Amino acid sequence: MLEGLMQDYPLTLHHMLHRMRDVHPDSKLTTLTAQGTRTASFGEICERVDRLARALRALGVADADRVGTFAWNNQRHFELYMAVPCVGAVLHTLNVRLFAEQLVYIIGHAQDRVIFVDDSLVDVLAPIAAQVSCVRNYVVMGDGEIDPQTLAKLPGALSYEHLLEQAGEGPFEYPSVDERQAAALCYTSGTTGNPKGVLYSHRSVCLHSTASLMSDALGLSSTDRALVVVPMFHANAWGIPHAASLCGADLVMPDRFLQAQPLAKLIESERPTIMGCVPTIFADLLRYADQNDVDLSSLTNCACGGSAVPRQLMKDFQQRHGVRIYQAWGMTETSPVATYSRPPAPPEDAEAQAQDDYWDARARQGTPLPWVQMRLVGDNGQQMPFDGLSTGEIEVRGPWIAAAYYNDPTGAEKFDGGWLATGDIACADERASLQITDRAKDVIKSGGEWISSVELENQVMAHPDVIEAAVIAKPDQKWAERPLCCVVLREGSTVSAQQLVEHLRPRVAKWWLPDEFAFIEEVPKTSVGKFDKKVLRARLSEDTLQGRVQVGSEGRV
Ligand code: AMP
């Protein structure tokens, strides 16, 4: 082999720090607080990251140690995003919404040595702290002096700001780190078995965030202001903070104020250009903005994913508020962005936007990013063609796709042969544009044929009176399974099950029409804000699902 003669420059997060310090020191990070907002420049943040690096050393954090965070999206959490991997340790972002038993399991499994916690979350962590023995220190993060009573709730707790003060100023000598070294750890919000750790390397984080800067992906640039609503404990906030550190986009962080009202206010005052979050948060924001005449016009390029993004949601945002939402697909195991859906025609083209085709294309999950390879695998292990019709389980491989779970042989079958079996069922067209039909465990098989719950939900949610819709399989003697559609109606709406059937009739195949609806108050959500169909299925089998109305299946199957 004739070896290429190019430098072996390591892909590590130190380069992100360098970009922030030397290329974009004036970019800003703004955090929403109970008192208003607090802003720091990237230059100032780098100085604090240096102090934090020294403080981590003083706490005895060594190479490869896991450092937990129990925090919302804010400046201090971002400082940890940078400092922890750059000293050679592993940033472990804990999901603050998990049940206590899950957190006890995850902290013990990861063997976190130190946990950094927001002062607003100390009361949530305190009961868990009593059940874990691996943690040597807790560090409480908050503005001003931390109340001693708050500190006393966690064994040996220290104040973040005191630590930084004591650490002194000046540059820190960061160790050199191999690009394959672990940088971050995030446990999946999986619904079965124990949570599983996905261990990102410096290299995978660097490549993923670089790819997300492409205009066919997130397209983040130095002129953007990114509002990061997706939690920093959900797959590294989809890589947005890392990408911003590379390109110098401003960051706007909502801390714990995730309701539509504070978000709307923050958007009006901070004028972000990009926002990333799951569809349920976008839907809440849309309702609030419609009712309160909120100016969302600064948002021109939003990223949405985590579950299928309803067509109608994208359409309403674009047509009523000029806000463009683009869909991404991925999972914690894929860092998370694997595909991105950019419009087939220029979004400015009003004629194109009036076409159903345009919105059908926008509602797809998009094409794989460069370096991500994708295939669809059928029931018998055969590769399915990309013909727009054939469905199979999505398998992916690439440099930011997990190769195994951290210290956990269960689930190893997902990684057979160097491909990750994602558990998502989809078809793809001739241009590899993906359309998810279901999560494998959510599929509905009626009379031997698949019904896409994702597409049914999409169509039901296109009804102006429907706020949320989740379709689950109901056991059926004749057809094995039939779709049952759980809906949440707009307040005051009197729309009936039969009217919903009539709304669906021209939109889906006859045999897809649900024979039963359940009018519920809210679709239960997971810890990262997705529809939790597991809870709905449990209610159905326990016969506690409220508001059920049969419409019969006559003439449709
Ligand atoms: P998580 O690891 O919690 O991010 O969950 C990953 C799962 O979310 C994927 O396997 C999909 O089932 C689902 N998901 C993510 N993005 C999308 C999307 N755009 N459309 C449909 N499902 C999605």
Side-chain angles (χ1 to χ4, degrees), residues 189 234 305-308 327-333 365 422 424 436 439 530:
S189 52
H234 186 196
S307 48
Q327 175 158 210
W329 168 81
M331 55 205 305
T332 306
E333 290 86 335
Q365 276 72 19
T422 64
D424 284 329
I436 307 257
R439 196 73 199 131
K530 305 182 190 194

PDB file of all heavy atoms in Angstrom, residues 189 234 305-308 327-333 365 422 424 436 439 530, ligand 1:
ATOM      1  N   SER A 189     -33.878   5.550  25.964  1.00  0.00           N
ATOM      2  CA  SER A 189     -35.160   5.618  26.663  1.00  0.00           C
ATOM      3  C   SER A 189     -36.003   4.410  26.252  1.00  0.00           C
ATOM      4  O   SER A 189     -37.204   4.494  26.159  1.00  0.00           O
ATOM      5  CB  SER A 189     -35.865   6.919  26.301  1.00  0.00           C
ATOM      6  OG  SER A 189     -35.914   7.054  24.895  1.00  0.00           O
ATOM      7  N   HIS A 234     -31.015  14.078  25.982  1.00  0.00           N
ATOM      8  CA  HIS A 234     -31.588  13.236  24.925  1.00  0.00           C
ATOM      9  C   HIS A 234     -30.629  13.249  23.733  1.00  0.00           C
ATOM     10  O   HIS A 234     -30.668  14.129  22.888  1.00  0.00           O
ATOM     11  CB  HIS A 234     -32.979  13.761  24.521  1.00  0.00           C
ATOM     12  CG  HIS A 234     -33.686  12.859  23.544  1.00  0.00           C
ATOM     13  ND1 HIS A 234     -34.759  13.252  22.801  1.00  0.00           N
ATOM     14  CD2 HIS A 234     -33.461  11.576  23.183  1.00  0.00           C
ATOM     15  CE1 HIS A 234     -35.172  12.260  22.030  1.00  0.00           C
ATOM     16  NE2 HIS A 234     -34.391  11.236  22.247  1.00  0.00           N
ATOM     17  N   GLY A 305     -38.011  15.771  15.191  1.00  0.00           N
ATOM     18  CA  GLY A 305     -37.852  14.330  15.048  1.00  0.00           C
ATOM     19  C   GLY A 305     -38.119  13.685  16.390  1.00  0.00           C
ATOM     20  O   GLY A 305     -38.693  14.299  17.282  1.00  0.00           O
ATOM     21  N   GLY A 306     -37.683  12.445  16.527  1.00  0.00           N
ATOM     22  CA  GLY A 306     -37.955  11.728  17.767  1.00  0.00           C
ATOM     23  C   GLY A 306     -39.194  10.890  17.622  1.00  0.00           C
ATOM     24  O   GLY A 306     -39.345   9.839  18.224  1.00  0.00           O
ATOM     25  N   SER A 307     -40.134  11.356  16.826  1.00  0.00           N
ATOM     26  CA  SER A 307     -41.273  10.560  16.360  1.00  0.00           C
ATOM     27  C   SER A 307     -41.750  11.226  15.072  1.00  0.00           C
ATOM     28  O   SER A 307     -41.279  12.317  14.740  1.00  0.00           O
ATOM     29  CB  SER A 307     -42.374  10.456  17.414  1.00  0.00           C
ATOM     30  OG  SER A 307     -42.666  11.706  17.938  1.00  0.00           O
ATOM     31  N   ALA A 308     -42.641  10.542  14.377  1.00  0.00           N
ATOM     32  CA  ALA A 308     -43.040  11.055  13.063  1.00  0.00           C
ATOM     33  C   ALA A 308     -43.634  12.457  13.200  1.00  0.00           C
ATOM     34  O   ALA A 308     -44.425  12.721  14.110  1.00  0.00           O
ATOM     35  CB  ALA A 308     -44.047  10.110  12.434  1.00  0.00           C
ATOM     36  N   GLN A 327     -37.875  17.487   8.954  1.00  0.00           N
ATOM     37  CA  GLN A 327     -37.889  16.272   9.756  1.00  0.00           C
ATOM     38  C   GLN A 327     -36.559  15.529   9.693  1.00  0.00           C
ATOM     39  O   GLN A 327     -35.954  15.425   8.631  1.00  0.00           O
ATOM     40  CB  GLN A 327     -39.012  15.371   9.236  1.00  0.00           C
ATOM     41  CG  GLN A 327     -39.070  14.031   9.904  1.00  0.00           C
ATOM     42  CD  GLN A 327     -40.429  13.364   9.799  1.00  0.00           C
ATOM     43  OE1 GLN A 327     -40.796  12.612  10.669  1.00  0.00           O
ATOM     44  NE2 GLN A 327     -41.176  13.625   8.766  1.00  0.00           N
ATOM     45  N   ALA A 328     -36.155  15.022  10.851  1.00  0.00           N
ATOM     46  CA  ALA A 328     -34.954  14.179  10.902  1.00  0.00           C
ATOM     47  C   ALA A 328     -35.349  12.857  11.537  1.00  0.00           C
ATOM     48  O   ALA A 328     -36.292  12.794  12.316  1.00  0.00           O
ATOM     49  CB  ALA A 328     -33.877  14.848  11.740  1.00  0.00           C
ATOM     50  N   TRP A 329     -34.633  11.808  11.185  1.00  0.00           N
ATOM     51  CA  TRP A 329     -34.863  10.519  11.824  1.00  0.00           C
ATOM     52  C   TRP A 329     -33.557   9.996  12.404  1.00  0.00           C
ATOM     53  O   TRP A 329     -32.477  10.209  11.817  1.00  0.00           O
ATOM     54  CB  TRP A 329     -35.398   9.480  10.820  1.00  0.00           C
ATOM     55  CG  TRP A 329     -35.357   8.077  11.377  1.00  0.00           C
ATOM     56  CD1 TRP A 329     -36.262   7.498  12.216  1.00  0.00           C
ATOM     57  CD2 TRP A 329     -34.328   7.099  11.174  1.00  0.00           C
ATOM     58  NE1 TRP A 329     -35.863   6.220  12.541  1.00  0.00           N
ATOM     59  CE2 TRP A 329     -34.684   5.954  11.912  1.00  0.00           C
ATOM     60  CE3 TRP A 329     -33.135   7.096  10.446  1.00  0.00           C
ATOM     61  CZ2 TRP A 329     -33.897   4.802  11.942  1.00  0.00           C
ATOM     62  CZ3 TRP A 329     -32.343   5.950  10.474  1.00  0.00           C
ATOM     63  CH2 TRP A 329     -32.735   4.813  11.216  1.00  0.00           C
ATOM     64  N   GLY A 330     -33.685   9.352  13.534  1.00  0.00           N
ATOM     65  CA  GLY A 330     -32.506   8.734  14.130  1.00  0.00           C
ATOM     66  C   GLY A 330     -32.857   8.210  15.500  1.00  0.00           C
ATOM     67  O   GLY A 330     -34.026   8.167  15.877  1.00  0.00           O
ATOM     68  N   MET A 331     -31.864   7.806  16.235  1.00  0.00           N
ATOM     69  CA  MET A 331     -32.081   7.281  17.571  1.00  0.00           C
ATOM     70  C   MET A 331     -30.811   7.516  18.396  1.00  0.00           C
ATOM     71  O   MET A 331     -29.765   7.881  17.842  1.00  0.00           O
ATOM     72  CB  MET A 331     -32.456   5.791  17.508  1.00  0.00           C
ATOM     73  CG  MET A 331     -31.463   4.940  16.765  1.00  0.00           C
ATOM     74  SD  MET A 331     -32.186   3.411  16.082  1.00  0.00           S
ATOM     75  CE  MET A 331     -32.891   2.663  17.516  1.00  0.00           C
ATOM     76  N   THR A 332     -30.926   7.310  19.697  1.00  0.00           N
ATOM     77  CA  THR A 332     -29.762   7.522  20.567  1.00  0.00           C
ATOM     78  C   THR A 332     -28.553   6.765  19.997  1.00  0.00           C
ATOM     79  O   THR A 332     -27.431   7.276  19.995  1.00  0.00           O
ATOM     80  CB  THR A 332     -30.100   7.029  21.994  1.00  0.00           C
ATOM     81  OG1 THR A 332     -31.310   7.678  22.399  1.00  0.00           O
ATOM     82  CG2 THR A 332     -29.006   7.355  22.972  1.00  0.00           C
ATOM     83  N   GLU A 333     -28.814   5.559  19.481  1.00  0.00           N
ATOM     84  CA  GLU A 333     -27.733   4.719  18.956  1.00  0.00           C
ATOM     85  C   GLU A 333     -27.118   5.287  17.678  1.00  0.00           C
ATOM     86  O   GLU A 333     -26.078   4.815  17.223  1.00  0.00           O
ATOM     87  CB  GLU A 333     -28.275   3.308  18.639  1.00  0.00           C
ATOM     88  CG  GLU A 333     -28.650   2.463  19.849  1.00  0.00           C
ATOM     89  CD  GLU A 333     -30.073   2.710  20.335  1.00  0.00           C
ATOM     90  OE1 GLU A 333     -30.619   3.799  20.084  1.00  0.00           O
ATOM     91  OE2 GLU A 333     -30.637   1.801  20.969  1.00  0.00           O
ATOM     92  N   GLN A 365     -39.109  10.888   6.143  1.00  0.00           N
ATOM     93  CA  GLN A 365     -38.017  11.052   7.121  1.00  0.00           C
ATOM     94  C   GLN A 365     -36.705  11.434   6.442  1.00  0.00           C
ATOM     95  O   GLN A 365     -35.733  11.739   7.111  1.00  0.00           O
ATOM     96  CB  GLN A 365     -37.854   9.776   7.954  1.00  0.00           C
ATOM     97  CG  GLN A 365     -38.809   9.689   9.137  1.00  0.00           C
ATOM     98  CD  GLN A 365     -40.248   9.420   8.753  1.00  0.00           C
ATOM     99  OE1 GLN A 365     -40.537   8.956   7.654  1.00  0.00           O
ATOM    100  NE2 GLN A 365     -41.165   9.712   9.654  1.00  0.00           N
ATOM    101  N   THR A 422     -32.471  -1.309  13.660  1.00  0.00           N
ATOM    102  CA  THR A 422     -33.034  -0.195  14.427  1.00  0.00           C
ATOM    103  C   THR A 422     -34.391  -0.488  15.061  1.00  0.00           C
ATOM    104  O   THR A 422     -34.830   0.252  15.934  1.00  0.00           O
ATOM    105  CB  THR A 422     -33.215   1.035  13.516  1.00  0.00           C
ATOM    106  OG1 THR A 422     -34.178   0.698  12.505  1.00  0.00           O
ATOM    107  CG2 THR A 422     -31.913   1.452  12.873  1.00  0.00           C
ATOM    108  N   ASP A 424     -37.090  -0.061  13.497  1.00  0.00           N
ATOM    109  CA  ASP A 424     -38.058   0.788  12.786  1.00  0.00           C
ATOM    110  C   ASP A 424     -38.367   0.170  11.425  1.00  0.00           C
ATOM    111  O   ASP A 424     -37.457  -0.286  10.726  1.00  0.00           O
ATOM    112  CB  ASP A 424     -37.488   2.199  12.564  1.00  0.00           C
ATOM    113  CG  ASP A 424     -37.510   3.017  13.837  1.00  0.00           C
ATOM    114  OD1 ASP A 424     -38.415   2.804  14.664  1.00  0.00           O
ATOM    115  OD2 ASP A 424     -36.617   3.862  14.018  1.00  0.00           O
ATOM    116  N   ILE A 436     -41.009   6.122   7.336  1.00  0.00           N
ATOM    117  CA  ILE A 436     -41.225   5.177   8.437  1.00  0.00           C
ATOM    118  C   ILE A 436     -42.700   4.818   8.459  1.00  0.00           C
ATOM    119  O   ILE A 436     -43.561   5.705   8.426  1.00  0.00           O
ATOM    120  CB  ILE A 436     -40.865   5.822   9.789  1.00  0.00           C
ATOM    121  CG1 ILE A 436     -39.457   6.392   9.756  1.00  0.00           C
ATOM    122  CG2 ILE A 436     -41.110   4.876  10.950  1.00  0.00           C
ATOM    123  CD1 ILE A 436     -38.403   5.631  10.416  1.00  0.00           C
ATOM    124  N   ARG A 439     -42.804   1.645  14.301  1.00  0.00           N
ATOM    125  CA  ARG A 439     -41.834   1.012  15.172  1.00  0.00           C
ATOM    126  C   ARG A 439     -42.211  -0.464  15.126  1.00  0.00           C
ATOM    127  O   ARG A 439     -43.411  -0.791  15.126  1.00  0.00           O
ATOM    128  CB  ARG A 439     -42.096   1.609  16.557  1.00  0.00           C
ATOM    129  CG  ARG A 439     -41.071   1.459  17.614  1.00  0.00           C
ATOM    130  CD  ARG A 439     -39.869   2.276  17.470  1.00  0.00           C
ATOM    131  NE  ARG A 439     -38.847   1.645  18.318  1.00  0.00           N
ATOM    132  CZ  ARG A 439     -37.629   1.359  17.939  1.00  0.00           C
ATOM    133  NH1 ARG A 439     -37.216   1.637  16.730  1.00  0.00           N
ATOM    134  NH2 ARG A 439     -36.772   0.782  18.758  1.00  0.00           N
ATOM    135  N   LYS A 530     -42.347  11.698  23.808  1.00  0.00           N
ATOM    136  CA  LYS A 530     -42.981  11.008  22.673  1.00  0.00           C
ATOM    137  C   LYS A 530     -44.264  10.334  23.143  1.00  0.00           C
ATOM    138  O   LYS A 530     -44.414  10.031  24.325  1.00  0.00           O
ATOM    139  CB  LYS A 530     -42.052   9.925  22.134  1.00  0.00           C
ATOM    140  CG  LYS A 530     -40.693  10.432  21.765  1.00  0.00           C
ATOM    141  CD  LYS A 530     -39.879   9.288  21.208  1.00  0.00           C
ATOM    142  CE  LYS A 530     -38.439   9.706  21.061  1.00  0.00           C
ATOM    143  NZ  LYS A 530     -37.678   8.786  20.256  1.00  0.00           N
TER     144      LYS A 530
HETATM  145  P1  AMP B   1     -34.599   7.664  20.933  1.00  0.00           P
HETATM  146  O1  AMP B   1     -33.443   6.750  20.985  1.00  0.00           O
HETATM  147  O2  AMP B   1     -35.282   7.867  22.232  1.00  0.00           O
HETATM  148  O3  AMP B   1     -34.248   8.940  20.291  1.00  0.00           O
HETATM  149  O4  AMP B   1     -35.706   6.976  20.007  1.00  0.00           O
HETATM  150  C1  AMP B   1     -35.431   6.585  18.694  1.00  0.00           C
HETATM  151  C2  AMP B   1     -36.693   6.186  18.003  1.00  0.00           C
HETATM  152  O5  AMP B   1     -37.550   7.313  17.803  1.00  0.00           O
HETATM  153  C3  AMP B   1     -36.458   5.653  16.595  1.00  0.00           C
HETATM  154  O6  AMP B   1     -36.031   4.323  16.588  1.00  0.00           O
HETATM  155  C4  AMP B   1     -37.823   5.853  15.976  1.00  0.00           C
HETATM  156  O7  AMP B   1     -38.708   4.807  16.332  1.00  0.00           O
HETATM  157  C5  AMP B   1     -38.301   7.130  16.607  1.00  0.00           C
HETATM  158  N1  AMP B   1     -38.081   8.257  15.683  1.00  0.00           N
HETATM  159  C6  AMP B   1     -37.103   9.162  15.714  1.00  0.00           C
HETATM  160  N2  AMP B   1     -37.255  10.073  14.725  1.00  0.00           N
HETATM  161  C7  AMP B   1     -38.363   9.729  14.034  1.00  0.00           C
HETATM  162  C8  AMP B   1     -39.059  10.265  12.900  1.00  0.00           C
HETATM  163  N3  AMP B   1     -38.661  11.369  12.279  1.00  0.00           N
HETATM  164  N4  AMP B   1     -40.157   9.607  12.482  1.00  0.00           N
HETATM  165  C9  AMP B   1     -40.597   8.491  13.096  1.00  0.00           C
HETATM  166  N5  AMP B   1     -40.005   7.953  14.167  1.00  0.00           N
HETATM  167  C10 AMP B   1     -38.898   8.555  14.643  1.00  0.00           C
END
